Amino acid sequence: MKWSLSFALLGVTILLLIFTRVDRETQVTGAPRDLIAVEIEQLVMTRYDSAGRELERSMAERAVRLDGDSASQLSDLTVRRRDLNDQEWTLESPAGVSEPSADTLTLIGGVVISAGDSATLRTDQIIIDIATRTATSTDKIQLTGAHSDTTSSRLIIDFDLGTATLLDRVTSTYNQDKKLP
């Protein structure tokens, strides 16, 4: 009985020491981490017109939507869109944001735009407005053609008409001997 009482007293003392030590430790605080609501690998999304013709196909390696956020973060994004003349436009970027409430898709971080084999446009960011079927950029735009380099500070692509319009501070250099990379 004497040993049982001694061990019980020793156990209670150890527990009190542990609780005292835990109570003195500082709490770790930091920004709360958002939980992932949706995560998709190899996303492919296709949009059709009213006649059932494919208008747009968007592909991303990964799509993530955080809990409480309506936008989805996309990586390795490719958008293929057809204009009314059946010309295919291809827009590629390493990242993007899909905002369903605004009906927009923003391509970010080195966007490459091409329509056929004629020329290539490059910009840092472009916003595709699904409702108006246009894409706009207010970042520096570089157009590389077979014999010319053109830059501007604004771009509007009309997917219905199949046109890309360079606006504001447009400069162009023509070189007859230029070879494409």
Side-chain angles (χ1 to χ4, degrees), residues 16-31:
L16 286 174
L17 287 172
I18 290 172
F19 287 139
T20 304
R21 184 170 181 185
V22 168
D23 199 33
R24 285 188 201 155
E25 289 183 8
T26 59
Q27 291 183 340
V28 177
T29 59

Side-chain angles (χ1 to χ4, degrees), residues 26-152:
T26 59
Q27 291 183 340
V28 177
T29 59
R33 296 182 64 185
D34 292 329
L35 298 175
I36 294 176
V38 176
E39 181 175 10
I40 301 171
E41 299 285 333
Q42 303 296 321
L43 170 72
V44 176
M45 184 175 69
T46 307
R47 294 181 193 266
Y48 299 93
D49 65 8
S50 59
R53 185 179 77 128
E54 182 179 309
L55 283 179
E56 177 184 306
R57 179 169 292 207
S58 301
M59 298 161 281
E61 288 294 317
R62 184 170 184 241
V64 174
R65 185 173 49 84
L66 300 177
D67 194 28
D69 193 1
S70 64
S72 296
Q73 306 298 318
L74 307 166
S75 63
D76 294 324
L77 183 60
T78 300
V79 178
R80 297 188 195 292
R81 180 135 185 144
R82 294 205 171 275
D83 60 30
L84 293 180
N85 299 318
D86 208 34
Q87 172 69 46
E88 183 176 82
W89 292 75
T90 303
L91 297 88
E92 297 176 302
S93 73
V97 176
S98 174
E99 183 61 63
S101 63
D103 213 9
T104 60
L105 177 62
T106 304
L107 286 78
I108 304 166
V111 183
V112 177
I113 305 161
S114 59
D117 296 330
S118 59
T120 301
L121 289 161
R122 296 183 195 293
T123 187
D124 288 331
Q125 176 176 306
I126 193 161
I127 300 169
I128 300 173
D129 186 323
I130 305 303
T132 63
R133 295 179 298 279
T134 60
T136 58
S137 177
T138 56
D139 293 332
K140 180 183 176 187
I141 293 95
Q142 180 179 5
L143 168 65
T144 305
H147 297 286
S148 65
D149 289 314
T150 304
T151 60
S152 76

